[in-house]
Amino acid sequence: MGATYLTKPGGSSGVEWLALDVRSRAAVAEVFEGFRPEVTVNAAYRQADWASTADGAAYVALGVSRVGGRLVHVSSDAVFSGAVASYDERSVPDPITPYGAAKAAAETAVRAVVPDAVVARTSLIVGNGESVHESFVHALATGRRDGVLFTDDVRCPVHVADLAAALLEAAVRGLSGILHVAGADALSRYDLGTLIARRDGLDASRLPTGRRADTDLPGPLDVRLNCTATQQRLQTRLRGAREFLTPPDP
């Protein structure tokens, strides 16, 4: 198994770590020619960098097309504007931010170069205390950071283990096309933060709230991925945050 990195290798054992800057078409081609993977999962992105998010995805797709194998490309709910109640796998991207536009362009490139690739759109990713959102909630609840959790910014949070299992299943089974891999619950960032605080024994009443609509932050407010069709294709069950953030009974 191989994995790539930009600045430093990860800590997983049994993995061949390969230095790679996906912004370089030549570097991507060299890695593919040398490693020749049977399955490639592309999760590379930088929100403020078109070259990493869009061009890099195109170069990875070209690498797969050159040496063969399957491609699973990780996309985002940022490709949607939030103008409709929910988005299913047939929905056409209508991004309203540069990052969303880069993700949409990446989808187009991947599907054009590797028509049988999987494009897996996901949402806010939550882990076992290690995600950015969880760290932010902890910092707010303990007074280590200023800020607010928006009550009008809605997504469908997914557990990182569910996302990883779904991507692996899609690769192993040779699925193709667009998948929506998000959680079953649509929650505001404040509601999600409350669940995290309660799971971790923090005082949820200390979490400050605000409305994103009252700020000048760009981006959609309410984006809900409908995963019904995807769930019918996957054996992996995509749990809602109310389930995976509820502590088990003692």
Side-chain angles (χ1 to χ4, degrees):
M1 178 183 294
T4 63
Y5 66 93
L6 178 60
T7 56
K8 62 180 181 179
S12 300
S13 60
V15 176
E16 181 179 352
W17 290 97
L18 308 168
L20 176 62
D21 185 342
V22 296
R23 296 170 295 184
S24 167
R25 181 171 179 173
V28 173
E30 181 179 355
V31 166
F32 270 93
E33 289 293 343
F35 195 77
R36 306 187 76 84
E38 295 180 11
V39 175
T40 300
V41 178
N42 178 36
Y45 78 96
R46 279 185 170 178
Q47 286 207 1
D49 186 359
W50 180 280
S52 295
T53 304
D55 295 345
Y59 299 154
V60 169
L62 288 169
V64 172
S65 70
R66 186 175 296 112
V67 305
R70 296 191 291 276
L71 172 60
V72 177
H73 173 75
V74 181
S75 189
S76 166
D77 57 10
V79 301
F80 297 122
S81 69
V84 300
S86 69
Y87 295 88
D88 65 18
E89 295 82 352
R90 299 166 297 175
S91 298
V92 177
D94 61 340
I96 57 174
T97 63
Y99 174 61
K103 276 295 193 180
E107 288 189 10
T108 299
V110 166
R111 299 183 72 193
V113 176
V114 186
D116 61 351
V118 166
V119 172
R121 296 172 181 147
T122 191
S123 189
L124 192 63
I125 302 171
V126 179
N128 295 313
E130 300 177 355
S131 69
V132 172
H133 193 74
E134 288 165 288
S135 296
F136 185 52
V137 169
H138 276 243
L140 289 177
T142 56
R144 290 184 286 110
R145 280 190 63 178
D146 294 327
V148 299
L149 293 175
F150 295 127
T151 57
D152 59 346
D153 187 332
V154 177
R155 298 295 186 271
C156 297
V158 64
H159 195 284
V160 65
D162 294 350
L163 173 60
L167 297 178
L168 180 60
E169 180 184 349
V172 170
R173 293 177 53 200
L175 300 183
S176 63
I178 293 175
L179 302 179
H180 279 188
V181 187
D185 298 329
L187 298 171
S188 71
R189 290 183 183 261
Y190 171 72
D191 290 335
L192 177 61
T194 298
L195 290 174
I196 291 169
R198 290 173 178 168
R199 179 200 64 183
D200 296 341
L202 301 172
D203 185 357
S205 68
R206 297 192 61 185
L207 298 175
T209 64
R211 283 174 16 102
R212 185 169 179 170
D214 297 330
T215 75
D216 58 0
L217 290 174
L221 290 178
D222 189 332
V223 180
R224 308 180 188 216
L225 294 183
N226 183 331
C227 305
T228 302
T230 293
Q231 192 64 91
Q232 292 172 350
R233 299 177 65 190
L234 291 176
Q235 296 177 3
T236 301
R237 188 169 69 87
L238 301 171
R239 298 169 293 166
R242 291 187 181 92
E243 177 181 349
F244 64 72
L245 289 174
T246 298
D249 294 332

